[in-house]
């Protein structure tokens, strides 16, 4: 079983930056693809970004390109999401996810509990 624990969320102001972290532990498999999703109040969960295990390939939701950056440190089994120029519409629970293969599918096998990000105007 893979455990994913997100951290780094909180209450911030419009224009601030934030870096979320996701630490993986347990029976981690080799070379997992990692991703971030988010779910805003009264909305469906949406894909934010994904990253190949090497860290060299990344995929972003088209509408979020430019302000979001996904990265990873495999030595620490941790993936990050840097969010710049935060807007009130970024308010959501941010979830980390993992699976074996990197690719265009948005289906993931393992999920964290989420970390709340609230952006005040």
């Amino acid at each position: 079983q893979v455990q994913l624990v997100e951290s780094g969320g909180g209450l911030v102001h419009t224009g601030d930056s934030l870096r979320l972290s996701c630490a993986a532990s347990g029976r981690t498999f080799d070379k997992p693809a990692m991703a971030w999703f988010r779910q805003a109040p009264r909305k469906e969960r949406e894909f934010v970004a994904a990253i190949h295990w090497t860290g060299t390939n990344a995929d972003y939701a088209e509408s979020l390109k430019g302000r979001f950056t996904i990265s990873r440190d495999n030595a620490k089994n941790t993936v990050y999401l840097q969010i710049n120029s935060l807007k009130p519409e970024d308010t959501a629970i941010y979830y980390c996810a993992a699976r074996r293969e990197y690719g265009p599918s948005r289906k993931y096998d393992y999920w964290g509990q989420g970390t709340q990000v609230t952006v005040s105007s």
Side-chain angles (χ1 to χ4, degrees):
Q1 190 72 13
V2 175
Q3 288 84 42
L4 302 173
V5 179
E6 303 94 334
S7 61
L11 174 62
V12 296
H13 296 97
T14 297
D16 286 350
S17 296
L18 203 61
R19 188 176 81 157
L20 307 181
S21 299
C22 172
S25 62
R27 191 180 65 82
T28 54
F29 38 80
D30 286 340
K31 307 175 182 179
M34 304 290 291
W36 287 95
F37 289 73
R38 70 181 186 180
Q39 187 165 19
R42 298 173 298 282
K43 292 189 176 181
E44 302 222 341
R45 186 168 58 193
E46 66 171 342
F47 170 78
V48 175
I51 189 167
H52 189 271
W53 75 272
T54 60
T56 56
N57 290 338
D59 179 27
Y60 295 90
E62 195 64 34
S63 62
L64 301 178
K65 283 183 178 179
R67 294 191 300 116
F68 290 71
T69 303
I70 189 171
S71 62
R72 66 191 296 164
D73 183 342
N74 289 335
K76 297 181 180 179
N77 289 329
T78 300
V79 63
Y80 305 99
L81 184 69
Q82 177 72 36
I83 314 173
N84 297 327
S85 302
L86 278 153
K87 305 175 181 180
E89 50 265 43
D90 293 321
T91 295
I93 300 174
Y94 285 72
Y95 295 93
C96 176
R99 69 180 185 212
R100 283 189 189 279
E101 301 292 334
Y102 177 80
S105 169
R106 301 303 185 223
K107 184 178 179 181
Y108 282 76
D109 300 315
Y110 301 96
W111 294 85
Q113 294 299 308
T115 185
Q116 175 72 48
V117 173
T118 303
V119 185
S120 65
S121 56

